[in-house]
Amino acid sequence: MNQKEIAELRRRFRPDKSNITHIHGCLVNEQKEIVSKFCQPISMMREEEAEKFLAVLKRTLSGTPGKNVIDISFATSQVVDSEEHRLLMALRTSSLEDEEAVNTLYEKAAASLSIEGKYLILLAHDRYDVRYRPTDGASMEDASEEVFSYILCSVCPIKETKPALGYSAAENEFHTCTSNWLVGAPETGFLFPAFDDRQTNLYGAAYYTRSSAESHQAFADAIFHQELPMPADEQKETFETVLAESLESECSYEVIQGVHEKIAEMVEEYKARKEEEPLTLSKQEVCSILGSCGVSDAHAEVFAEKYDEEFGEETALPPQNLINPRQFEVRTPEVTIRVNPERTDLVETRVIDGVKYILIRADSGVEVNGVSIHIS
């Protein structure tokens, strides 16, 4: 699913747009025990409560595709005959009215999730009458392509607030407010089936993880029986390690600066083209970038070998998982320097009298602890 398709579904999570009739859920305690279950009709809620429920569900479709929203692709054998796909289909076709299927999902999730403290599992079913959209992008309200029937699952931590001093307007006095349990933003969740090319794709799903460092692989395995891609933070760390180990003496400031700039340029050009499919970089494209930055063929070949070992020969990586286009950092054990990515030319490395230095050109506007100083 691309960003535009995700955004199209996100716009539905309002009481006047959604066809969600009930919110199903269960509360799981610290011992992974399901302590309560509920099914609340949206029509019986106050408008403010309905909006808050839908806002929580909506956040399960937030973040960056490839980083927070990950495509799941089922094998044909799974779709034809597998326990995990049968369960998801039972949930969808019954509009979550199959109590046995709902309870099975709760049990699988509770047994596999490792979330500190209590958490809430929310389930909702929606039917979206997908409007026909001509090639010019306009929407025709009376023309429908299909009905996209899907389920959305959100796993939300529940945090206890601390007792605090509060004001009572009725008594015009301050009193201690007792602690409460508040539902936090989703940690993980999923949408099934996928909404690809604005159509139902029973061979796919969208998996959500809030943290770029933790993908909750055990949960994905329990629900989809699928191996998730390496978490975004781990991809970045692994890419940096592969660069350093394969380039060796050629891993200079200028090379890393060049790699960062060229990948950042590709990201900006991609945004300017307004393409719908997520941008990814293949091993061959990264090797081409290395060559343009002055890396020798021998070291580029070593990089390609290590890339295959860590990521897989055919794996393409989202560029936002490799660099931060808005940040450029130079670090030593004692000093960290953050540089405007557009002015990395102000920094250079040099050896003076046998001592290694990082030099920063500072023509004006130099401050130390907020105080403007003169360099003489």
Side-chain angles (χ1 to χ4, degrees):
M1 289 173 59
N2 60 46
Q3 190 69 65
K4 186 176 289 187
E5 291 159 348
I6 293 170
E8 184 173 351
L9 293 182
R10 279 172 54 83
R11 288 192 289 271
R12 294 192 49 73
F13 287 85
R14 290 167 39 190
D16 60 330
K17 294 282 188 181
S18 169
N19 286 321
I20 296 174
T21 60
H22 293 74
I23 301 292
H24 302 252
C26 72
L27 177 64
V28 182
N29 65 16
E30 297 88 338
Q31 287 74 44
K32 296 188 174 185
E33 299 170 335
I34 298 172
V35 294
S36 67
K37 302 174 186 176
F38 63 89
C39 177
Q40 292 183 228
I42 291 282
S43 60
M44 300 297 289
M45 298 180 189
R46 297 196 302 270
E47 184 176 355
E48 182 182 356
E49 289 179 346
E51 288 176 351
K52 289 190 180 298
F53 263 120
L54 294 176
V56 169
L57 291 167
K58 177 181 178 179
R59 294 188 69 171
T60 316
L61 294 172
S62 61
T64 305
K67 187 173 185 178
N68 306 102
V69 182
I70 301 166
D71 287 334
I72 298 288
S73 295
F74 292 103
T76 302
S77 58
Q78 286 183 288
V79 177
V80 172
D81 184 22
S82 71
E83 178 185 340
E84 58 273 8
H85 203 271
R86 280 196 300 273
L87 174 61
L88 293 169
M89 287 297 293
L91 293 166
R92 172 180 177 265
T93 55
S94 71
S95 303
L96 299 178
E97 292 181 6
D98 185 334
E99 188 174 344
E100 182 180 352
V102 170
N103 288 334
T104 299
L105 178 70
Y106 290 158
E107 291 165 3
K108 283 179 173 287
S112 60
L113 283 164
S114 296
I115 295 178
E116 185 178 352
K118 299 181 175 68
Y119 59 89
L120 191 64
I121 301 173
L122 296 177
L123 281 174
H125 174 265
D126 186 26
R127 295 181 186 275
Y128 174 29
D129 191 12
V130 183
R131 302 298 179 185
Y132 173 71
R133 182 177 293 164
T135 54
D136 61 4
S139 177
M140 300 175 63
E141 292 299 323
D142 296 330
S144 175
E145 288 185 320
E146 68 166 274
V147 175
F148 177 55
S149 172
Y150 66 96
I151 58 171
L152 190 69
C153 173
S154 299
V155 180
C156 309
I158 298 179
K159 304 295 184 182
E160 185 178 13
T161 61
K162 295 181 179 179
L165 194 62
Y167 175 69
S168 171
E171 301 176 13
N172 192 29
E173 294 178 350
F174 285 88
H175 298 284
T176 300
C177 297
T178 58
S179 62
N180 288 308
W181 293 93
L182 300 180
V183 177
E187 282 288 327
T188 185
F190 66 87
L191 173 142
F192 175 82
F195 186 56
D196 291 331
D197 296 324
R198 305 185 71 238
Q199 295 178 336
T200 301
N201 177 12
L202 297 176
Y203 284 76
Y207 181 82
Y208 171 77
T209 176
R210 185 182 68 85
S211 170
S212 58
E214 172 57 70
S215 59
H216 302 282
Q217 174 60 54
F219 175 57
D221 190 53
I223 303 301
F224 304 109
H225 200 60
Q226 291 274 341
E227 186 75 24
L228 294 174
M230 187 184 294
D233 285 4
E234 189 177 343
Q235 284 186 10
K236 185 174 186 297
E237 292 173 4
T238 303
F239 179 72
E240 292 165 350
T241 300
V242 169
L243 274 178
E245 292 180 352
S246 57
L247 303 191
E248 297 180 327
S249 60
E250 290 186 355
C251 192
S252 65
Y253 173 83
E254 290 76 19
V255 167
I256 300 305
Q257 175 194 32
V259 170
H260 186 280
E261 288 180 352
K262 290 184 181 298
I263 294 179
E265 287 173 6
M266 294 177 70
V267 172
E268 289 304 313
E269 290 171 0
Y270 167 80
K271 290 180 180 178
R273 293 194 301 267
K274 296 182 179 180
E275 295 184 10
E276 296 184 2
E277 293 305 312
L279 176 64
T280 58
L281 289 178
S282 67
K283 175 185 63 178
Q284 290 75 17
E285 288 172 314
V286 178
C287 286
S288 177
I289 290 173
L290 293 177
S292 67
C293 294
V295 174
S296 65
D297 291 343
H299 280 107
E301 289 177 7
V302 175
F303 171 84
E305 292 173 1
K306 289 185 177 293
Y307 183 102
D308 291 346
E309 293 173 4
E310 296 293 342
F311 299 111
E313 185 176 353
E314 302 299 325
T315 302
L317 302 174
Q320 69 271 12
N321 293 1
L322 306 182
I323 69 161
N324 183 346
R326 297 181 297 276
Q327 179 178 313
F328 190 84
E329 187 176 275
V330 181
R331 177 178 295 180
T332 75
E334 294 80 20
V335 178
T336 298
I337 305 166
R338 290 185 174 88
V339 187
N340 181 342
E342 297 180 358
R343 293 312 312 270
T344 56
D345 59 298
L346 296 175
V347 181
E348 62 176 298
T349 58
R350 191 180 298 177
V351 178
I352 303 175
D353 297 331
V355 181
K356 299 173 183 177
Y357 287 92
I358 299 170
L359 303 182
I360 305 170
R361 193 168 78 244
D363 296 327
S364 62
V366 180
E367 296 183 357
V368 177
N369 288 340
V371 180
S372 297
I373 65 166
H374 295 277
I375 300 176
S376 59

